[in-house]
Amino acid sequence: MVASEAAPFAKTGGLADVLGSLPAALVRLGDDVAVLLPLYRGIPLPPGGPILTLPVQVGPHGYSVAIHEIFRHNVRYLFADCPSLYDRAGLYGTASGDYPDNYIRFAVLCQAALGVARSVFRPDVFHAHDWQAGLLPVYLRESLTLDPTFFGVRCVLTIHNLGYQGSFPATAIADLGLDRRLFHPEGLEFFGRLNFLKAGIVWADAVNAVSPTYAREIQTPEFGFGMDGLLRSRASKLTGILNGVDYDEWNPETDRHLPANYSARDLSGKRVCKRALLEEMGLEEMGLEELDLPAEARRPLIGIVTRFAHQKGMDLVAKIAPFAEAALVVLGSGEAPLENAFRFLAARYPDRIAVRLGYDEGLAHRIEAGSDIFLMPSRYEPCGLNQIYSLRYGTVPVVRATGGLEDTVDEQTGFKFRDDLAGAVEAALREFQDREAWASRMRRGMARDFSWDASAVEYQRLYSKAPVRRVASGGPLFAS
Ligand code: ADP
């Protein structure tokens, strides 16, 4: 597998959670898995030094990439160490924008993967994740067709979010050592620019999205980001496989980030978590005394953990907050105008809205556990993990019926809406007052199982059935 993130080493979102858990699930099924990612700043170097050093050539640029290795849950995590490219403050950029050489940084990662495959880990399948690994199948099929290492090797691409495509000026082509003849609308070009994700979609032997509903949605203009035509033309090699979650990390019975553990059999620890969360977020004024009242009189706590991006619909939350009779805790970071909106709301309603701007793994767990309701009004959501964590934590999800939210939350376990966010929140707040109905809903959600077992088997099927294509650039893209 080749990816730009893997938990616990480097994480900005759900991609990392998947790379931290799917490989181990495949290993449990008997596969041998290596994951290659950049050695970013802050990832502790394993003792013993690199296992090999690769010369990597990308167009006119030569790099020396040292490969380090860590075993975790019997998965080989390999780190590409190239300080001039990866030893930086952020994974993809800083507050002022993406790094302008991201196309070089991730092209080098793809070339390093091919080098690793030649020398220390000879795969049957390359599994590329998102645009950062999009050039892997292109290099594989266009420049290595005569290399026996790669005869019969398949290449699968997973789309974790079509909204992030790796789009660069056409001039990057020469810089990347790619054949200019591949730059056309049926190849690497997307509206005059070089597009890494499109490259992956065109050249991979099979493509999947991270939930069945999202795989269908991206073939429509509404969710296709301009690629719906391309994806429709590839419908026969496009599937949806729902992400699983790692219940070793996300389990209220054992979670080490919580002040108290609990289960569906004994929910008393969840009250402790709520009380502690209200205190941690400075909402104790209104919260604590109410906690001692009977459930009917208690104020429900709505939790949100998110990236502040247009996708996540936080502007819609800002419009309807504060909620009647509910408190709100928000953990997130991202776009400045959205951060400012929530800063403002917390200042305006200090007794009922608390906001933490930043990234905090422990607090994310405590919000999952301490909230009564978890809100995800995403405009689109490829899979979404937090709603799945919420189910296990007895925190009732209120979600938009889209993508993986549609596939994981049902009428028995949560509240879904298409357009009426406020109506869905109201319905949840109303049911919260019915203690028994609420407790049964919590318990039904806690009993749902989204572990990797089933989805990892689906990936195995995808790996084995993907037809191997030798050269992709010759074929028509919009085949009938
Ligand atoms: P996406 O990948 O689009 O951000 P997902 O729901 O698939 O959304 O995954 C988000 C993951 O990132 C979850 O594990 C969530 O807990 C975590 N996360 C998001 N924002 C934060 C934050 N500010 N602090 C801690 N964890 C966060």
Side-chain angles (χ1 to χ4, degrees):
M1 295 196 191
V2 182
S4 58
E5 303 185 17
F9 307 108
K11 169 168 168 174
T12 68
L15 171 67
D17 289 342
V18 172
L19 270 295
S21 51
L22 169 61
L26 290 166
V27 167
R28 286 196 294 276
L29 293 172
D31 282 332
D32 197 4
V33 187
V35 180
L36 179 71
L37 66 153
L39 184 78
Y40 298 110
R41 181 177 300 172
I43 298 178
L45 268 182
I51 57 167
L52 87 150
T53 300
L54 291 167
V56 171
Q57 192 69 32
V58 168
H61 313 280
Y63 297 91
S64 171
V65 179
I67 303 293
H68 299 266
E69 178 180 58
I70 294 176
F71 277 86
R72 182 173 181 270
H73 301 324
N74 298 316
V75 175
R76 256 171 120 147
Y77 283 91
L78 301 170
F79 298 89
D81 181 9
C82 184
S84 64
L85 295 177
Y86 306 131
D87 184 7
R88 301 189 185 174
L91 267 55
Y92 309 117
T94 59
S96 43
D98 285 350
Y99 296 126
D101 61 346
N102 272 347
Y103 64 100
I104 298 278
R105 298 173 75 224
F106 293 106
V108 167
L109 184 71
C110 294
Q111 286 287 6
L114 296 166
V116 163
R118 259 198 227 94
S119 44
V120 291
F121 190 93
R122 201 168 174 143
D124 300 312
V125 181
F126 279 108
H127 187 164
H129 293 267
D130 271 353
W131 73 261
Q132 291 87 351
L135 287 191
L136 180 67
V138 184
Y139 287 136
L140 183 67
R141 298 294 180 231
E142 295 298 333
S143 45
L144 298 167
T145 42
L146 299 178
D147 186 332
T149 308
F150 302 109
F151 287 173
V153 170
R154 295 179 166 88
C155 193
V156 171
L157 172 80
T158 297
I159 301 172
H160 295 260
N161 191 334
L162 192 66
Y164 299 84
Q165 301 185 351
S167 169
F168 301 99
T171 46
I173 287 269
D175 240 5
L176 293 172
L178 291 164
D179 188 335
R180 276 186 187 285
R181 283 169 302 180
L182 303 179
F183 191 74
H184 55 80
E186 295 183 358
L188 299 172
E189 182 186 350
F190 189 62
F191 294 105
R193 293 170 67 85
L194 170 64
N195 189 299
F196 275 42
L197 188 65
K198 179 173 179 179
I201 293 168
V202 172
W203 268 268
D205 303 309
V207 179
N208 80 294
V210 289
S211 69
T213 295
Y214 191 59
R216 284 191 297 277
E217 286 175 342
I218 56 179
Q219 298 177 52
T220 67
E222 192 185 349
F223 295 95
F225 285 96
M227 286 200 186
D228 45 297
L230 165 67
L231 291 162
R232 278 197 303 279
S233 76
R234 304 273 153 152
S236 63
K237 70 167 191 177
L238 173 64
T239 53
I241 301 179
L242 192 67
N243 282 341
V245 305
D246 181 355
Y247 287 125
D248 290 336
E249 274 298 310
W250 294 93
N251 177 358
E253 295 185 44
T254 53
D255 193 328
R256 63 201 149 80
H257 298 289
L258 306 186
N261 292 110
Y262 60 91
S263 66
R265 286 177 309 284
D266 179 4
L267 286 166
S268 54
K270 188 166 171 69
R271 295 188 59 155
V272 178
C273 290
K274 179 173 179 180
R275 181 185 294 257
L277 178 62
L278 287 167
E279 259 180 62
E280 179 174 358
M281 300 296 286
L283 293 178
E284 62 274 58
E285 297 258 320
M286 76 93 198
L288 283 183
E289 69 191 72
E290 299 197 21
L291 275 176
D292 297 327
L293 296 172
E296 291 76 15
R298 277 188 293 128
R299 194 185 293 212
L301 179 59
I302 300 177
I304 294 179
V305 179
T306 190
R307 286 183 295 114
F308 279 124
H310 183 70
Q311 176 202 343
K312 301 292 182 179
M314 291 301 286
D315 51 321
L316 308 174
V317 177
K319 274 195 199 127
I320 61 167
F323 299 102
E325 298 136 32
L328 174 68
V329 295
V330 178
L331 166 64
S333 63
E335 293 166 14
L338 288 169
E339 290 196 354
N340 287 337
F342 278 86
R343 225 181 250 126
F344 169 82
L345 281 169
R348 174 84 178 71
Y349 303 101
D351 60 326
R352 54 211 308 214
I353 298 182
V355 175
R356 286 282 178 285
L357 299 175
Y359 189 89
D360 186 335
E361 185 79 27
L363 183 55
H365 285 246
R366 290 191 291 281
I367 290 177
E368 288 288 2
S371 305
D372 299 297
I373 293 169
F374 198 90
L375 191 53
M376 286 181 79
S378 312
R379 290 189 164 82
Y380 71 93
E381 194 57 76
C383 178
L385 294 171
N386 281 309
Q387 83 283 8
I388 307 181
Y389 303 147
S390 304
L391 289 170
R392 183 50 60 100
Y393 281 70
T395 302
V396 172
V398 176
V399 303
R400 193 190 297 274
T402 185
L405 300 172
E406 173 77 309
D407 294 340
T408 53
V409 176
D410 58 56
E411 299 308 327
Q412 298 290 306
T413 57
F415 293 84
K416 288 201 274 196
F417 66 93
R418 294 219 171 264
D419 301 307
D420 187 8
L421 164 62
V425 173
E426 262 167 45
L429 296 181
R430 217 174 307 122
E431 191 180 280
F432 182 81
Q433 303 305 335
D434 179 343
R435 197 176 196 152
E436 275 182 22
W438 192 259
S440 331
R441 189 180 288 278
M442 284 167 64
R443 289 208 168 82
R444 285 193 296 269
M446 294 177 89
R448 293 284 193 273
D449 184 1
F450 293 100
S451 55
W452 269 110
D453 299 344
S455 296
V457 171
E458 282 192 62
Y459 271 108
Q460 284 190 318
R461 269 194 220 116
L462 184 65
Y463 297 151
S464 58
K465 77 168 191 229
V468 182
R469 296 183 315 151
R470 287 257 174 272
V471 181
S473 58
L477 182 57
F478 293 98
S480 56

